[in-house]
Amino acid sequence: MESQNILIKNAKILNPLGNGKTEEKNADVLIVEDKISEINKEIEESNAEKIIDASDKILMPGLVNTHTHISMSLLRGIADDLELDSWLNDYIWPMEAHLNREYCYIGALLGASEMIKSGTTCFSDMYFYMDGVAQAVEEIGMRAVLSYGMIDFGIKEKRENEFKENISLIKNHNNTADGRITTMFGPHSSYTASVELLERVRKEADRYNVGIHIHMNETMKEINDSKEAHENKRPFELLDSIGFLNSDVVAAHCVWLDEKEINLIKNNDVKVSHNPCSNMKLASGVAPIGELLKENICVSLGTDGASSNNNLDVFDEMKFAALLQKVHTLNPKLANADEVINMASYNGAKALNIDAGAIEVGKKADLILLDTKHPNMTPQSNTLSSNLVYSANGSNVDTTICNGKILMEGRKLLTVDEEHILSEAKRAIIEMKELKEAESE
Amino acid sequence: MESQNILIKNAKILNPLGNGKTEEKNADVLIVEDKISEINKEIEESNAEKIIDASDKILMPGLVNTHTHISMSLLRGIADDLELDSWLNDYIWPMEAHLNREYCYIGALLGASEMIKSGTTCFSDMYFYMDGVAQAVEEIGMRAVLSYGMIDFGIKEKRENEFKENISLIKNHNNTADGRITTMFGPHSSYTASVELLERVRKEADRYNVGIHIHMNETMKEINDSKEAHENKRPFELLDSIGFLNSDVVAAHCVWLDEKEINLIKNNDVKVSHNPCSNMKLASGVAPIGELLKENICVSLGTDGASSNNNLDVFDEMKFAALLQKVHTLNPKLANADEVINMASYNGAKALNIDAGAIEVGKKADLILLDTKHPNMTPQSNTLSSNLVYSANGSNVDTTICNGKILMEGRKLLTVDEEHILSEAKRAIIEMKELKEAESE
């Protein structure tokens, strides 16, 4: 993709301010190379090679999905409506056993296509064959923070292998693809990774100057198991006791938290990735988002993998986040539209340490345009946030721009062949099912 | 619209069976006039004037929205994130005071456009200026069950007027528009309508042979108020005591129910319209859907008005219905995909007494086709229900057919000028806001 200056004319801009509020304004926006270079009324058209007329469109930052397993898009709908144990043991893990680099590459292209088409410009991923995921991200043009899902169950040889994998990901891909790809360590959780693994992750993360992406406090069982295994310590207490917690940690889920753990999150500036759809679908529980927001903790949104959602549409996730808090607390004011917009953009960028998530001069040009000429987007009566959180879905996104390049325009993907990706994804899952059947014969 | 025979070729059919299960098959479907006339492998093409190639498409019954206030689409996003009292008193009612027949007609066209574009073929409405709503339904080609929102607050003159309005709706519009429009009585609720009004509604409904559409047990306050006003009777007990309950009653919300009330619903075969998004957004509470399903009560889905949702997409409503039950009960098996598909189609048709909601010979041809060639619909691994409930949104609907006529094809509305409706809706809400401001000066 050649770099070209892009001028977005006449947009209604919705800009998250990072304090739970948003501002609206009408202006033109000039993109030079990978950054927003000017925001003004009536910018000269001669400054740009490409002009987008955004009358009837809303311009906002591209959405940031801070917790997913993108290649699991291949496992979309493989099994639903089950107890977690049966879902994992009988369906997900037996299929995952047949993943390889090629399938993870195809799954990542499928998931990335879905994300671009629903307005997400950046995601944080934790999975396997991350080299294939990196290739997909490089080709399709999104921004991504990649980590390898490290699981040792206390076994030393496994542990060595996990560090080899994650460090190789960091060495090969950190700050590649014009800076669109960065990396993190991905210790899966405090119940699948040993204390030794977690301690070393902290050291290596400091050494390589990368963040840490981890599942935390997803189910009630996990809390009880932690207390039993670790001298009555809940998961965040365990991590605190080994000096693991820091502002570079993105903790996904955080459903079951007590007051002490909320204080640990706050005092260590840990970033929380809230995944309402997955927590609801797997019947994990309801994260105490109201209490986290009250403490000014940085809460962002994640879809989790497609097989526990079952889509990657962050617009969906915003509506679920807002509505779930309201009904759970019987307080309709909680998780208001502006706060949720901030979670899905500004806070996501902050959590992942990327210089995007707001429409300001100097920020990375990760932007989306939503078409308001749809019945579900008409009229706009109150705030733009209201329409975006409560009325919109990802299909209202018309244009997706990442790092100054247009990835979708008029709902057409520009960097990849969508039809080819869909047929490759169908082939991949059929082959995986055949491999699984052949094995069980 | 001229009637023409339509042949749908090579569809993957998802058919709800009415018992919480679905069946899948591959077949052709022939529509003659307003009905499904044949379902078979390889139906002769010469039988049809119009042939739809449905390879790569899912064919299912059009969705049924059993509780909405369609003209409130004009009030989409007028105010959000507020206590119910303030939302109604400070925002909704002051705007509703400036409604008229023309605005309700425009609001109904806006809402109907949104519903057709998200796969809904029939809705049950309760609002004002229902003559305008009937005109919109007649023109756009949907199926609808219309009722007038009767509120007397115990005042006799008001009561007389409400009966005049609702009976005039019945006389002018019941069984009109080729049978697409039927009518009901619409007593608003047991806290806004007097016992006298409710008693007379029961008599008049029997006389005119129409059903009854009513809000029931939406908030905890409503229950307490009912007990205080009516000798400790909860709302369903009150209605039972006056002989109101019957199989022709569609009760919207039903959030706060005790065991005795669930038995009254069951024994009187009252139909429940579950509105999860509205109940969540207004922080009303969580309806005990699991318990209702266990008792084989007919539960269908409603979006409520757009201003408490804020869209009319029943695909959204299906996902919310499934996920809310799971997390609220911490049981991932509850409200499974097949059950939710039945709620949104078969049960909805049953509740509204229309001969649709399933793909069977002789049923009304109210059908939709979803395009599977989208990333969020790829792959289909488990059941079609899984993709439809957990992955899809309304924008995946490609074609909407009602009463044997195509209302949308390739996402283009065929019976109305969508752009004109959107601009009329914008004009209407601007005028209403001006009227409101002029009044408060």
Side-chain angles (χ1 to χ4, degrees), chain B residues 14-80:
Chain B
L14 178 74
N15 188 35
L17 298 173
N19 57 356
K21 307 255 186 282
T22 65
E23 62 176 4
E24 295 183 16
K25 58 187 163 194
N26 293 302
D28 297 349
V29 173
L30 180 67
I31 299 170
V32 174
E33 296 192 340
D34 58 340
K35 291 197 178 69
I36 297 170
S37 98
E38 190 180 349
I39 303 169
N40 255 319
K41 297 266 173 199
E42 307 274 340
I43 297 175
E44 258 301 315
E45 301 202 356
S46 59
N47 290 325
E49 284 103 40
K50 163 88 183 174
I51 292 166
I52 297 175
D53 175 16
S55 316
D56 296 313
K57 296 210 168 61
I58 298 170
L59 176 67
M60 67 176 291
L63 304 183
V64 180
N65 183 347
T66 56
H67 178 64
T68 190
H69 314 286
I70 191 170
S71 303
M72 285 186 96
S73 299
L74 287 185
L75 307 184
R76 188 195 311 280
I78 205 85
D80 307 282

Side-chain angles (χ1 to χ4, degrees), chain A residues 56 73-84 110 113-114 117 220 256 276-286 306 309-313 316-317 319-320 322-338 372-383 386-387 390-395 411 413 418-419 421-423 425-426 429 433, chain B residues 56 73-84 110 113-114 117 220 256 276-286 306 309-313 316-317 319-320 322-338 372-383 386-387 390-395 411 413 418-419 421-423 425-426 429 433:
Chain A
D56 297 313
S73 299
L74 287 185
L75 306 184
R76 188 193 313 280
I78 205 86
D80 307 281
D81 307 316
L82 291 168
E83 302 282 356
L84 185 66
L110 176 66
S113 299
E114 188 189 350
K117 294 196 88 174
M220 219 187 313
W256 299 95
C277 282
S278 175
N279 299 157
M280 293 173 80
K281 183 158 185 281
L282 297 174
S284 306
V286 180
N309 188 312
N310 296 345
N311 66 41
L312 304 178
D313 185 343
D316 252 34
E317 215 64 36
K319 186 167 179 175
F320 273 96
L323 268 52
L324 178 60
Q325 288 304 310
K326 294 176 198 303
V327 80
H328 186 64
T329 60
L330 298 185
N331 175 4
K333 296 178 172 182
L334 205 59
N336 68 44
D338 279 344
T372 63
K373 292 182 95 173
H374 291 288
N376 70 315
M377 295 293 279
T378 304
Q380 289 108 42
S381 276
N382 178 8
T383 60
S386 165
N387 283 61
Y390 299 122
S391 311
N393 66 50
S395 79
R411 295 207 57 70
L413 295 183
E418 184 179 341
E419 198 148 4
I421 290 172
L422 299 185
S423 73
K426 281 183 201 171
I429 189 68
K433 284 178 169 179
Chain B
D56 296 313
S73 299
L74 287 185
L75 307 184
R76 188 195 311 280
I78 205 85
D80 307 282
D81 307 316
L82 292 167
E83 302 283 356
L84 186 65
L110 175 65
S113 299
E114 188 189 350
K117 294 195 88 174
M220 220 188 311
W256 299 95
C277 282
S278 175
N279 299 158
M280 292 173 80
K281 183 156 185 282
L282 298 174
S284 304
V286 181
N309 189 310
N310 295 344
N311 66 42
L312 304 178
D313 185 342
D316 253 34
E317 216 63 37
K319 185 166 179 175
F320 272 96
L323 268 53
L324 179 59
Q325 288 304 310
K326 294 175 198 303
V327 78
H328 187 64
T329 59
L330 298 186
N331 175 2
K333 296 178 172 180
L334 205 59
N336 69 43
D338 279 343
T372 62
K373 292 182 94 173
H374 291 287
N376 69 314
M377 296 292 279
T378 303
Q380 289 108 43
S381 275
N382 176 7
T383 60
S386 165
N387 284 62
Y390 299 122
S391 310
N393 66 51
S395 78
R411 293 206 59 70
L413 295 182
E418 183 179 342
E419 198 149 5
I421 291 173
L422 299 186
S423 73
K426 280 183 201 171
I429 189 68
K433 284 179 171 180

Side-chain angles (χ1 to χ4, degrees), chain B residues 151-250:
Chain B
I151 296 178
D152 72 342
F153 288 119
I155 301 162
K156 193 170 173 215
E157 297 70 41
K158 267 180 128 4
R159 185 153 62 242
E160 291 307 318
N161 176 66
E162 304 303 75
F163 278 99
K164 213 179 101 199
E165 287 281 354
N166 209 135
I167 289 171
S168 136
L169 168 66
I170 294 168
K171 286 185 170 167
N172 292 328
H173 295 291
N174 199 38
N175 274 316
T176 59
D178 302 321
R180 285 187 286 108
I181 298 179
T182 54
T183 58
M184 287 192 180
F185 278 95
H188 176 270
S189 68
S190 66
Y191 60 95
T192 50
S194 64
V195 170
E196 291 82 356
L197 187 147
L198 296 168
E199 283 177 329
R200 188 169 156 204
V201 159
R202 175 73 277 163
K203 281 189 206 126
E204 302 281 9
D206 292 342
R207 176 182 316 170
Y208 287 98
N209 195 23
V210 299
I212 301 174
H213 183 182
I214 186 169
H215 297 92
M216 289 297 290
N217 298 41
E218 183 173 1
T219 64
M220 220 188 311
K221 181 175 184 302
E222 186 185 333
I223 311 297
N224 296 333
D225 290 352
S226 173
K227 289 168 75 173
E228 205 170 300
H230 303 290
E231 296 166 333
N232 215 32
K233 288 193 185 77
R234 294 170 65 98
F236 274 102
E237 292 177 297
L238 174 68
L239 293 198
D240 181 52
S241 71
I242 60 168
F244 185 97
L245 300 177
N246 203 339
S247 64
D248 61 357
V249 174
V250 179

Side-chain angles (χ1 to χ4, degrees), chain B residues 306-430:
Chain B
S307 48
S308 65
N309 189 310
N310 295 344
N311 66 42
L312 304 178
D313 185 342
V314 177
F315 280 96
D316 253 34
E317 216 63 37
M318 286 200 279
K319 185 166 179 175
F320 272 96
L323 268 53
L324 179 59
Q325 288 304 310
K326 294 175 198 303
V327 78
H328 187 64
T329 59
L330 298 186
N331 175 2
K333 296 178 172 180
L334 205 59
N336 69 43
D338 279 343
E339 287 172 329
V340 172
I341 289 281
N342 274 278
M343 291 184 204
S345 53
Y346 192 103
N347 293 5
K350 187 176 172 192
L352 302 183
N353 195 25
I354 61 170
D355 196 19
I359 300 184
E360 288 169 25
V361 171
K363 290 273 176 196
K364 294 284 184 188
D366 293 6
L367 302 169
I368 58 176
L369 287 163
L370 285 98
D371 190 352
T372 62
K373 292 182 94 173
H374 291 287
N376 69 314
M377 296 292 279
T378 303
Q380 289 108 43
S381 275
N382 176 7
T383 60
L384 294 180
S385 310
S386 165
N387 284 62
L388 294 167
V389 172
Y390 299 122
S391 310
N393 66 51
S395 78
N396 298 128
V397 178
D398 176 86
T399 301
T400 301
I401 298 169
C402 182
N403 214 37
K405 310 289 179 303
I406 303 176
L407 307 187
M408 177 176 79
E409 190 170 18
R411 293 206 59 70
K412 188 176 160 33
L413 295 182
L414 302 183
T415 52
V416 290
D417 178 342
E418 183 179 342
E419 198 149 5
H420 182 66
I421 291 173
L422 299 186
S423 73
E424 284 288 274
K426 280 183 201 171
R427 173 181 66 80
I429 189 68
I430 288 169

Side-chain angles (χ1 to χ4, degrees), chain B residues 75-107:
Chain B
L75 307 184
R76 188 195 311 280
I78 205 85
D80 307 282
D81 307 316
L82 292 167
E83 302 283 356
L84 186 65
D85 273 2
S86 158
W87 182 73
L88 283 172
N89 285 302
D90 303 338
Y91 296 91
I92 298 298
W93 289 340
M95 287 303 291
E96 285 187 339
H98 300 288
L99 283 171
N100 60 30
R101 186 192 185 282
E102 187 209 352
Y103 296 155
C104 282
Y105 163 70
I106 294 168

Side-chain angles (χ1 to χ4, degrees), chain A residues 131-193:
Chain A
D131 195 55
V133 178
Q135 186 190 337
V137 171
E138 167 122 35
E139 288 173 12
I140 208 164
M142 286 185 81
R143 194 179 300 285
V145 180
L146 306 182
S147 61
Y148 173 83
M150 307 167 88
I151 296 178
D152 71 342
F153 289 119
I155 302 161
K156 192 168 174 215
E157 297 69 41
K158 268 180 127 3
R159 185 154 61 244
E160 291 307 319
N161 177 66
E162 304 303 77
F163 278 98
K164 211 179 102 201
E165 287 281 354
N166 209 135
I167 290 171
S168 135
L169 167 67
I170 294 168
K171 286 186 171 164
N172 291 329
H173 296 289
N174 198 38
N175 273 315
T176 60
D178 302 321
R180 286 187 286 108
I181 299 179
T182 54
T183 59
M184 286 192 180
F185 277 94
H188 177 271
S189 69
S190 67
Y191 61 95
T192 49

